[in-house]
Amino acid sequence: MASISSTVASAEIRAAPKAKTRNAALDRARTFITMLVLIHHSVIAYTYYGHTDRQSFLGFDGVVLFNDSFFMSAMFFLSGLFVWPSLQRKGTGWFLRDRWWRLGLPFIICALILMPIAYYAVELRLHPDVSFTAFWWRTVTVGPWPSGPAWFVWVLLALDVLAAVVYRAAPACVEAIGRLSLASFARPGLFFWALLIGSIIVYVPAVLHFGASRWFAAGPVAIQASRILLYLLYFFAGVGIGAVPFDKGLLAGDGGLARRWPVWLAATIATYSCIIALIYIKHGVLPDVNHQPLWWEIAYALAFVSYSAAQTFNVLALFLRFSNDGSSILDPLRDSAYGIYLIHYVPVLWLQYALYDISLSPVMQVSAIIKAVIVFVLTLATSWAATAALRKIPGATRVL
């Protein structure tokens, strides 16, 4: 029986390229997370944590925590889903050429042009007399040279290159993940626990060693030290799932993941509540907010990876169950989502700069909320319009 099962699973993996190229639920999940990125950057200036504006609203700290604890891992997961079929269809050479145009070139443009323009708004608040030319030259020659949200793009390119190497050298590793996806059609807990255990192994020791806020950076090439292996894990989890037809594996619209969406919603609420409780203990119980005992650091790391896995499954389950057909308000944004992601940090920082000295309400919290809404709406509108205009340029659709 084991031999028969293995043969069937191998056949499913080989059949993966025949799966349909568009999946409404996954497209909408990706677009939804892109919108979370815009919300995240729109509100972070008005948090008590960031507090770069004079007005702040404590509720935005919860929004930032809600996002930061899962959405980048989920983005790497979603980005990996179509990698294996693409490698099988194009071969490694054309796959890597395509990845260069879609990821490498945009990263260079972001690092050299878009991010310096964005961060110039921050520089003007500190040094109003500095010219953009002087700021740009100092950025690229002396540093620091922040890449903003574009760090995701270069990391994804590096992971795609690694996936191409695995495809040529050790495809059985990814096919094993595909078989786990097939086995998880009716029992999604199999994949969830494998992902969670893997997350604990790669993340907890790293965050205890490096801390949560340390970044490795070489010019604009940067990544959060404690999360390198976590993003690698989520990416290849997605690659493995994409190695088999979606309708027969974990992400089947009629599979156990979608049918049991209340379980993942409950797991998300429970794990996020653990994070909130630990933050309360840190600020309200522990004697020194800046130095936490080892038990607290381990507990928070475990809560973090548990929430990340639960929320990723929750988002996927909800979209598979409730947004897998028909139309959605997210559909018009689908083709522009990547361009919006690349561009949005420019209007975000400039709008926050423009609103910095303005009070829109005598109540500080209300003013912060109004500012955040203005920043989000105008950022989405300008990024979307700019992407639509760029996509009309011949050849631009290959990138955007």
Side-chain angles (χ1 to χ4, degrees), residues 68-70 203 227 230 275 299-309:
D68 183 64
S69 300
F70 97 98
Y203 178 75
R227 301 188 188 182
L230 185 66
I275 291 177
Y300 191 88
L302 292 173
F304 176 91
V305 293
S306 299
Y307 170 74
S308 182

Side-chain angles (χ1 to χ4, degrees), residues 2 59 77 86 111 125-126 154 159 210 219 234 252 255 266 279 297 318 397:
F77 181 95
S86 183
R125 202 159 58 225
L126 302 174
W154 86 259
L159 291 176
F210 294 114
Y234 270 78
I279 291 176
E297 293 183 351
L318 291 175
T397 52

Side-chain angles (χ1 to χ4, degrees), residues 54-105:
R54 293 171 182 174
Q55 285 93 39
S56 57
F57 172 56
L58 184 60
F60 288 151
D61 290 72
V63 173
V64 169
L65 182 67
F66 173 91
N67 286 332
D68 183 64
S69 300
F70 97 98
F71 69 165
M72 296 314 299
S73 295
M75 285 185 70
F76 281 110
F77 181 95
L78 289 167
S79 298
L81 289 174
F82 295 94
V83 167
W84 210 249
S86 183
L87 280 165
Q88 292 174 316
R89 187 172 64 253
K90 300 175 181 177
T92 54
W94 280 107
F95 173 81
L96 292 175
R97 290 186 188 96
D98 178 72
R99 295 294 86 188
W100 161 253
W101 284 110
R102 188 160 170 77
L103 299 172
L105 182 60

Side-chain angles (χ1 to χ4, degrees), residues 86-387:
S86 183
L87 280 165
Q88 292 174 316
R89 187 172 64 253
K90 300 175 181 177
T92 54
W94 280 107
F95 173 81
L96 292 175
R97 290 186 188 96
D98 178 72
R99 295 294 86 188
W100 161 253
W101 284 110
R102 188 160 170 77
L103 299 172
L105 182 60
F107 176 73
I108 292 173
I109 293 173
C110 284
L112 288 175
I113 301 174
L114 292 182
M115 291 307 106
I117 292 174
Y119 281 102
Y120 184 50
V122 179
E123 181 69 12
L124 285 178
R125 202 159 58 225
L126 302 174
H127 306 98
D129 297 328
V130 68
S131 68
F132 176 74
T133 303
F135 169 72
W136 183 89
W137 183 250
R138 188 178 77 242
T139 296
V140 301
T141 57
V142 178
W145 189 352
S147 58
W151 70 265
F152 169 77
V153 179
W154 86 259
V155 175
L156 184 56
L157 176 60
L159 291 176
D160 281 332
V161 172
L162 182 58
V165 173
V166 172
Y167 177 75
R168 296 298 295 270
C173 297
V174 167
E175 292 172 357
I177 301 173
R179 288 191 290 273
L180 179 59
S181 176
L182 293 175
S184 300
F185 172 86
R187 296 184 294 168
L190 292 175
F191 207 101
F192 173 80
W193 287 111
L195 181 63
L196 179 55
I197 292 169
S199 299
I200 292 171
I201 292 171
V202 301
Y203 178 75
V204 174
V207 75
L208 292 178
H209 179 72
F210 294 114
S213 59
R214 182 178 175 184
W215 285 67
F216 292 144
V221 178
I223 186 171
Q224 199 166 352
S226 61
R227 301 188 188 182
I228 297 173
L229 295 179
L230 185 66
Y231 295 151
L232 174 72
L233 174 69
Y234 270 78
F235 176 77
F236 272 97
V239 173
I241 291 172
V244 300
F246 290 140
D247 60 351
K248 292 179 171 59
L250 176 71
L251 299 185
D254 59 346
L257 179 66
R259 292 199 312 269
R260 298 171 192 164
W261 65 268
V263 173
W264 308 111
L265 178 59
T268 297
I269 294 171
T271 51
Y272 185 70
S273 298
C274 289
I275 291 177
I276 295 296
L278 287 166
I279 291 176
Y280 172 78
I281 291 172
K282 173 183 175 180
H283 290 276
V285 177
L286 296 179
D288 187 350
V289 71
N290 295 314
H291 296 89
Q292 294 80 48
L294 180 61
W295 72 263
W296 188 94
E297 293 183 351
I298 294 174
Y300 191 88
L302 292 173
F304 176 91
V305 293
S306 299
Y307 170 74
S308 182
Q311 178 67 303
T312 298
F313 270 50
N314 179 47
V315 169
L316 292 169
L318 291 175
F319 276 96
L320 288 168
R321 174 63 181 84
F322 297 107
S323 191
N324 206 15
D325 51 21
S327 60
S328 167
I329 60 173
L330 295 171
D331 290 346
L333 291 164
R334 186 193 71 183
D335 293 337
S336 298
Y338 181 47
I340 290 171
Y341 179 88
L342 293 173
I343 294 169
H344 81 276
Y345 214 50
V346 176
V348 160
L349 292 188
W350 277 97
L351 286 165
Q352 289 170 348
Y353 169 75
L355 293 171
Y356 182 74
D357 290 321
I358 300 175
S359 179
L360 300 177
S361 170
V363 180
M364 179 184 69
Q365 293 85 349
V366 174
S367 181
I369 293 171
I370 295 173
K371 285 186 177 184
V373 171
I374 291 172
V375 171
F376 172 72
V377 171
L378 293 183
T379 293
L380 176 58
T382 54
S383 302
W384 194 359
T387 300

